[in-house]
Every structure is written in structure tokens, then in C-alpha cells.
Amino acid sequence: MDIFRKRDGRKELGKISWSVPFPPDLLARLRGFSPVLISKASGMYLEDVFDILKGSRQKTSPDVIELLEKVLKKLEDEDQRLEREAAKINFLIKGFDVLEQKQKRQLNRLPKSNDDLEN
């Protein structure tokens, strides 16, 4: 097995195309995201992403699984960031609604004309 031996004498495995099954939990979590988004984030062809998500591809290399796990982590982090931003915007909208209601109540309390002020 001298093919896998480096010049300095250390043994190291070379590039071997292994075939391992997709982890079911990884597939389930990936299915929560758009195939187009996964394709853009991973650099994989969209057709390959569709095959993976449909379950057409039963096995792949460990490198692809590692790439998909990194992409999934990145997409989940982005999703959480967007949810926090949406919560902030929702809070601001509710605050503006409350201010608008206060302003309407104050305007309703004001007299409509000078005649009302004299009475």
C-alpha cells in the first residue's frame, strides 16, 4: 500500500470515494429549506439537491455529507437571525399602532370649534 504513503514516511489515506448512506435526520432538517437556497449555499447543482431531497440518492461521500451539514448550520443560523429581525419589526409596528391609537384618542377629546370652547 505504498500508494497512500507520503514522502516523509507517514501513512495517510488518499482520496477514496466512499459511499455512505444519508443520515435521516440531516435529510429531514434539509427538507425544511428551499432546494434553490441549499443549491446556492452549497454550490451543488440544483438537480443533485432535488435528487438528495427526494431520496433518489441513497448514498454519497462523507465530504458531501459534511458540506451539507455546514450548509444546514449556516441556513439555520440565517433563519434564526431573520426570525429575530422579524420579531423586532413586529414589536416596532405594535408600538407605532399604540402611538397612533393614543394620538387618535387625544384628537377625539379636543373641541371641534371655537363655539364649543365658549360653552
Side-chain angles (χ1 to χ4, degrees):
M1 303 235 13
D2 291 333
I3 305 172
F4 302 113
R5 190 178 296 243
K6 287 192 163 191
R7 289 183 185 203
D8 60 0
R10 293 185 307 169
K11 290 184 180 179
E12 185 176 312
L13 291 177
K15 296 274 183 181
I16 300 174
S17 60
W18 296 348
S19 186
V20 294
F22 280 103
D25 63 323
L26 176 65
L27 280 177
R29 290 171 45 209
L30 279 172
R31 287 182 178 135
F33 294 98
S34 161
V36 174
L37 194 59
I38 295 169
S39 175
K40 284 183 180 180
S42 67
M44 295 174 68
Y45 289 113
L46 186 58
E47 184 177 308
D48 292 337
V49 173
F50 276 120
D51 289 345
I52 290 169
L53 294 179
K54 283 191 289 185
S56 302
R57 294 216 176 145
Q58 298 297 324
K59 296 184 176 190
T60 189
S61 71
D63 294 339
V64 172
I65 292 175
E66 185 178 328
L67 172 70
L68 289 174
E69 287 174 347
K70 288 179 183 178
V71 165
L72 184 62
K73 175 75 171 128
K74 181 177 154 183
L75 292 175
E76 287 173 340
D77 290 345
E78 181 68 14
D79 196 37
Q80 289 176 357
R81 185 188 69 78
L82 290 174
E83 284 182 17
R84 286 191 303 269
E85 290 294 320
K88 286 179 189 177
I89 291 170
N90 189 28
F91 181 75
L92 287 173
I93 290 171
K94 286 181 180 179
F96 286 130
D97 287 343
V98 168
L99 288 174
E100 187 177 358
Q101 293 299 322
K102 271 186 180 179
Q103 194 174 29
K104 282 182 182 178
R105 276 187 254 134
Q106 285 177 351
L107 288 175
N108 287 338
R109 290 183 191 163
L110 293 176
K112 296 188 179 174
S113 67
N114 287 336
D115 295 335
D116 291 339
L117 287 174
E118 293 174 0
N119 293 336

